[in-house]
Amino acid sequence: MAAAPVWSVDPRTGKQREQVATEATAQEVDAAVRAAHAVRDALADRTVRAAFLRSAAAGLEAARDGLVDTADAETALGPVRLTGELTRTTYQLRAFADIVEEGAFLDVIIDHPDATATPPVPDLRRYKVPLGVVAVYSASNFPFAFSVAGGDTASALAAGCPVVVKAHPDHPALSELVATVLRRAAAEHGIPQGVVGLVHGFEAGVELIKHPLVAAAGFTGSVRGGRALFDAAAARPVPIPFHGELGSLNPVLVTEAAAAERAEEIGGGLAGSMTLGVGQFCVKPGLVLVPSGEAGDRLLKSLTDAVGDTGAGVLLDHRMRDAFLSGVAERTRLPGVDAPVTPGAGGEHGVSAGFLTVPADKLAAEGAYDLLLEECFGPVTVVARYADEGEARTVLSRLPGNLTATVQVSADEAAGRGRGPELLAELTPLAGRVLVNGWPTGVAVAPAQHHGGPYPATTSTSTSVGGTAIERWLRPVVYQNAPTALLPAELRDDNPLGLPRRVDGVLER
């Protein structure tokens, strides 16, 4: 049987643009993984690694116009958004290059022998080593930042791990172009092309997670797809770490005092956040708790006006459009659910933004309304009107893990008066990032960033954004009583590589 073709499709028309590749067979997946595994030593030198990452960033920038044009043709996200995303991606590659050069991520710890301790301490030298080949599953909604050259790939390469990327079917042509740029950058530094493998097709993704030489995996996508891969990773004869970002409702709590103080501002901000990128952000606010009463009504009036003025947009593919329309229809059929602005079809290929309202007490117990506590991908959010704080807390207590949780507070509450401090404590168990008087859309690439959260937001406690994302692809190892001549350079007393480290309990820089 001939391999199935892989087509680049224009989501604005639903028409095929070009055949990009064919879906990878099991043999081709095996070849890609083995090629990656064979070049692990080419990434051993941190100086070479950092130079490779910087060359990759420069290569993407040099090809910017063509890459953005192709990305827009395949995703309809627009050149402004895509140009910004590509800039973020190149910044991330350079940031990891800096991290590699600094070396603190190796977490070097040396304890010299101490016969007086109880029990006695032998000579112990600990640092972190790369896991091996990492399987990267690209996301649909970020064709640069969470795809072939995105955070999973950048952090894995920075850790010294080759990658094999499973391309997303929504942007296969872009995936091929970006992989070519990365391989060209690798060649500039004597690194074989196998360091970045690329495969297409659903079955290729399944074969990839099962391959015995794949040592870890990173995924961004749906709960259903991510959980299937997570289970497959755990069911292997030798289970492997799987960092999956699966889905998030990103709840927002608006206090009564905040609504009274700035209802119109909050309503407008919510509209901008939930419709940004046609609602296709993993941190889109999907459930907003708003107080009943006059202040909450003013907030909804502001939200209605702003969402009503939002034009129709195109989702990443027609499958997502169908899921959005059916998801909205299923939710609006629930008794007591209203749609002040009805989300729906926006022309033959687009969708229009809207939001739903429901009394919060309907979400207080298990039942049909649990559907409103599930993510609906696209430009829609659910506003739950609560009668008192107890009702709001009950709804929050029923939520699964999230990437973000947001609280909108008044000036007094922000100053620590009232329940401000308690609110943060209540939201902290729900999410990996807790925001005050902001909106969750927009994930800064910064050393302190955490993009993860309790399950099902992610399947691990790690982050996929920020400097500590590199930790996912490393494991610690300690050498005991090893002669200096046998030790890695990173662990020798004379510190020939100039690494930051902790020696006998004292941090050295």
Side-chain angles (χ1 to χ4, degrees), residues 191-265:
I191 301 172
Q193 290 192 359
V195 72
V196 177
L198 182 68
V199 296
H200 297 267
F202 176 83
E203 290 301 328
V206 176
E207 291 294 329
L208 190 56
I209 199 67
K210 296 191 300 184
H211 198 288
L213 294 181
V214 167
F219 171 90
T220 301
S222 68
V223 174
R224 180 179 178 184
R227 183 55 196 253
L229 291 171
F230 180 40
D231 290 347
R236 291 166 40 126
V238 178
I240 59 172
F242 181 89
H243 180 87
E245 181 191 318
L246 310 188
S248 184
L249 196 61
N250 305 300
V252 178
L253 172 63
V254 181
T255 69
E256 290 192 52
E261 189 172 272
R262 48 193 179 86
E264 290 75 16
E265 176 190 333

Side-chain angles (χ1 to χ4, degrees), residues 8 20-21 99 143 156 174 202 204 206 273 286 300 306 329 334 349 416:
S8 173
V20 173
I99 289 170
L174 178 67
F202 176 83
V206 176
S273 184
L300 256 64
L334 293 169
H349 302 287

Side-chain angles (χ1 to χ4, degrees), residues 256 259-260 263-264 290-301 385:
E256 290 192 52
E264 290 75 16
V290 172
S292 300
E294 184 270 339
D297 291 345
R298 286 192 291 116
L299 190 157
L300 256 64
K301 173 64 166 59
R385 303 294 300 273

Side-chain angles (χ1 to χ4, degrees), residues 136 138-139 142-153 165 167-168 171 174-175:
V136 173
S138 295
F142 281 87
F144 290 117
F146 284 83
S147 188
V148 177
D152 286 350
T153 295
V165 182
H168 197 281
H171 33 83
L174 178 67
S175 298

Side-chain angles (χ1 to χ4, degrees), residues 373-398:
L373 303 181
E374 297 178 9
E375 180 183 14
C376 186
F377 196 72
V380 63
T381 194
V382 174
V383 177
R385 303 294 300 273
Y386 66 88
D388 53 45
E389 289 185 358
E391 199 167 80
R393 285 198 298 271
T394 297
V395 174
L396 290 173
S397 72
R398 299 201 59 238

Side-chain angles (χ1 to χ4, degrees), residues 22-159:
T22 57
E23 294 187 357
T25 64
Q27 292 75 20
E28 289 167 334
V29 172
D30 177 67
V33 174
R34 291 187 182 280
H37 182 74
V39 303
R40 302 184 319 287
D41 290 347
L43 292 174
D45 188 311
R46 287 188 300 116
T47 301
V48 172
R49 233 151 65 207
F52 167 33
L53 293 171
R54 292 195 177 100
S55 292
L60 292 173
E61 287 176 342
R64 179 184 298 273
D65 291 346
L67 294 176
V68 168
D69 286 347
T70 300
D72 183 47
E74 291 189 310
T75 67
L77 289 173
V80 174
R81 149 71 195 277
L82 290 165
T83 297
E85 187 186 328
L86 180 54
T87 298
R88 164 194 168 142
T89 303
T90 58
Y91 172 82
Q92 188 165 241
L93 285 162
R94 292 190 174 103
F96 276 116
D98 292 342
I99 289 170
V100 170
E101 283 186 336
E102 179 197 57
F105 75 98
L106 293 170
D107 197 19
V108 176
I109 304 174
I110 296 174
D111 287 325
H112 290 105
D114 183 358
T116 67
T118 305
V121 175
D123 187 274
L124 298 172
R125 297 165 188 257
R126 179 188 189 272
Y127 79 144
K128 291 179 178 177
V129 297
L131 289 173
V133 178
V134 173
V136 173
Y137 293 80
S138 295
S140 62
N141 55 342
F142 281 87
F144 290 117
F146 284 83
S147 188
V148 177
D152 286 350
T153 295
S155 58
L157 293 174

